Amino acid sequence: MKVLIVGKGGREHAIAWKVKESDLVKEIFIAPGNIGMENLGTLINIPEEKIEELADFAQKNRVDLTIVGPENVLALGIVNEFERRGMKIFGPTKEAAKIESSKEFAKKLMKKYGVPTGEYETFTDLELAVKYVEKKGAPIVIKEDGLKAGKGVTVAFSIPEAIEALEIAFSIPNNKVVIEEYLDGFEFSIIALTNGETVIPLEIAQDHKRAYDNDEGPNTGGMGVYSPVDKIDSNIIDQTLEKILKPMARGMAKDGISFKGFLFGGIMLTKDGVKTIEFNARFGDPEAEGILPRLKSDFVKAILDLMENKDVNLEWDNRYTVAVVMASENYPKSSTIGSEIEIPKDLESVVFHMGTRKVHGKIETNGGRVLSVVAYGNTLEEAKKNAYLDVKKINCKKLFFRNDIGSKMCYNNENK
């Protein structure tokens, strides 16, 4: 088979790494990819947003399967274009991807199909939004409606903080804001493969969204994950499937917007049970870097079997993984370009590139989140120790990282 992977970040690097292991695959194309993927396949110099060019390439090169990474490309309708041309592609259509590209759309669907989530209201007017926040009080969650790469969310613990977030949001013309109830509890990420009817859960992970240790600082696209999450047992996972993922998938199919691809649920285990924080229309990043290294089954075969309505049985490595993200200083406010990175060749961890480039043979920073360093361990503590040993061997003056990935269950958790 020939497989095309669309995207250029750590998620796509992890997907390409796992696809490379498949006995079914003879050739991998990655568009546009990054320098970390050079040894996994052929990098194609087509920007991920150039949907028609990608479709032309896939047709010309007789690509058998395309796997899409980024949410913005799904929102642009890459799946619609490929399917219009009769090509096999794993991902949701533009219409189904609205569960991520519009917070309001997702909330309405959850309400319609009884998927547990927090109370919410949508606003297009700053004054009305401020009055609502003053009425409801803090903590409260402010979410800009569209795609914000994980950074358009403010969990405000005071009224002034909430109002400041609203003022920033409404400084953007025609912006829409969803104000949500703050859900208190233990957060985890669950990603499932689905064809619109069958929902196959992958192993779960826990992301660390805040920029700094102890869950301090601004929200980011994710500063690291660990998997599995011992606190979330099989009963909770079953509840999440039956109350959240399956009703959402079936509801979307009923509405004529069947979801195919990676269905991502950001879930909070509250004192009242599992509730949905958000849905995403793609594999998480850095969740992909923490989860896929634990998958022992053939990833491509699983996707194909699902698309052809065959049984899918996944086998997992029992070891723990910890993925630590190394980000540019001042991320998420700004990113660093052109700072040299030295990665020793003897690292035992798997290093996935997120935002790098190569200039005159040297690796440099080229984005906000730059590297994801993933280590295994027979215990969570061992995986953490191994990951941080290797993180500290990577030399770059302009990178920072959290020191507590995998320790999140120790704080901000009244339900422990």
Side-chain angles (χ1 to χ4, degrees), residues 106-115 117 120:
K107 280 287 193 178
K108 283 182 176 178
L109 269 178
M110 284 185 258
K111 186 175 181 180
K112 181 176 180 180
Y113 290 105
V115 174
T117 188
Y120 79 100

Side-chain angles (χ1 to χ4, degrees), residues 121-126 128-130 132 170 175-179:
E121 290 289 344
T122 305
F123 294 89
T124 55
D125 178 86
L126 173 60
L128 292 175
V130 169
Y132 181 81
F170 284 112
N175 209 2
K176 186 186 290 185
V177 169
V178 176
I179 303 178

Side-chain angles (χ1 to χ4, degrees), residues 352-405:
F352 294 112
H353 290 237
M354 305 177 88
T356 58
R357 68 180 188 183
K358 190 177 283 184
V359 178
H360 303 307
K362 294 182 178 179
I363 300 172
E364 297 181 347
T365 58
N366 190 37
R369 294 184 299 167
V370 177
L371 297 171
S372 183
V373 181
V374 184
Y376 294 93
N378 291 317
T379 64
L380 180 57
E381 285 301 318
E382 184 182 358
K384 284 165 56 179
K385 179 184 176 183
N386 292 340
Y388 281 107
L389 281 173
D390 281 347
V391 162
K392 287 164 186 175
K393 292 176 185 175
I394 295 173
N395 185 32
C396 180
K397 295 177 181 178
K398 298 291 186 180
L399 296 182
F400 81 97
F401 54 89
R402 281 182 60 157
N403 296 281
D404 61 348
I405 304 302

